[in-house]
Amino acid sequence: MFRPKHPPGRLDQVNSAGEPGFDAVDAIEHAWRRERPATPVRSIGVISRIWHAAKLLGDERRRTLAALGVDQATLDLLSTLRRAGPPYRMTPAQLAGACLVSAGAITQRVARAEAAGLVSAERTASGRRTRHVTLTDEGHRVIEGTVDRLLGHEQDLIDHLTDEQQELLADLLRVLLGGLRARLGAPDEPGQVGDQR
């Protein structure tokens, strides 16, 4: 539950003991505010928590994928093909664009997935170039099971937030990311499962 805290207008956090109160980020922000009153420190409360949450979620995703026997690159490839809809087929250029990786990286991902029977590659007569990459039945089985378990687990991780809080946070993060991309000239990120759904 969210409660007002001091100073007024801030949202309460839960400390390491599970009780409402200042957290470590609050302590850092308030220390800088005390030591350097003229230094703008409000960003600490946003950016430090995003960095910490990203690390926690990234570490947990790696553990979850390892338990499921899928690496992030393969998950990205299979997810991209699955989300494309029937016939679940894309060109290497389309895959590279959707995954925001180089043509060489896509070639490597496709080769690994093909060796595992997760995709099939249609090549030119010379065999030098891949024309299309298609999700196989085994690829379907793997991605369907992985998505359900991964996203179910990650939903559990944020279920301490109400539906309204999750929607509000998603909206605020969308605005934050859009503003950052515009200011930094960064491209949109790929639509991976989980962090880019």
Side-chain angles (χ1 to χ4, degrees), residues 99-120:
C99 298
L100 284 187
V101 297
S102 68
I106 281 295
T107 298
Q108 293 175 0
R109 291 182 182 190
V110 168
R112 287 196 303 270
E114 188 177 23
L118 304 175
V119 301
S120 61

Side-chain angles (χ1 to χ4, degrees), residues 1-5 10-13 20:
M1 172 183 288
F2 284 48
R3 301 181 183 88
K5 78 172 179 186
R10 301 290 298 277
L11 295 178
D12 216 4
Q13 300 295 317

Side-chain angles (χ1 to χ4, degrees), residues 77-78 81 87-95 106 109-111 113-114 118-123 130-136:
L77 176 67
L78 300 183
L81 287 167
Y88 311 107
R89 180 177 66 187
M90 299 175 72
T91 67
Q94 289 172 330
L95 285 169
I106 281 295
R109 291 182 182 190
V110 168
E114 188 177 23
L118 304 175
V119 301
S120 61
E122 176 190 335
R123 294 184 172 82
T130 299
R131 288 182 173 171
H132 293 98
V133 179
T134 305
L135 199 60
T136 64

Side-chain angles (χ1 to χ4, degrees), residues 54-72:
K55 182 182 186 316
L56 290 172
L57 293 171
D59 290 348
E60 183 61 18
R61 170 167 283 209
R62 282 186 287 275
R63 283 190 291 268
T64 303
L65 290 179
L68 294 173
V70 180
D71 63 86
Q72 183 64 54

Side-chain angles (χ1 to χ4, degrees), residues 12-76:
D12 216 4
Q13 300 295 317
V14 175
N15 61 23
S16 59
E19 302 167 345
F22 288 139
D23 64 6
V25 175
D26 290 314
I28 292 168
E29 180 180 339
H30 283 271
W32 278 120
R33 195 182 301 277
R34 181 191 67 237
E35 295 298 315
R36 294 185 57 84
T39 299
V41 298
R42 194 165 52 180
S43 63
I44 292 174
V46 175
I47 294 175
S48 294
R49 288 188 178 97
I50 289 174
W51 273 110
H52 192 197
K55 182 182 186 316
L56 290 172
L57 293 171
D59 290 348
E60 183 61 18
R61 170 167 283 209
R62 282 186 287 275
R63 283 190 291 268
T64 303
L65 290 179
L68 294 173
V70 180
D71 63 86
Q72 183 64 54
T74 300
L75 176 69
D76 189 18

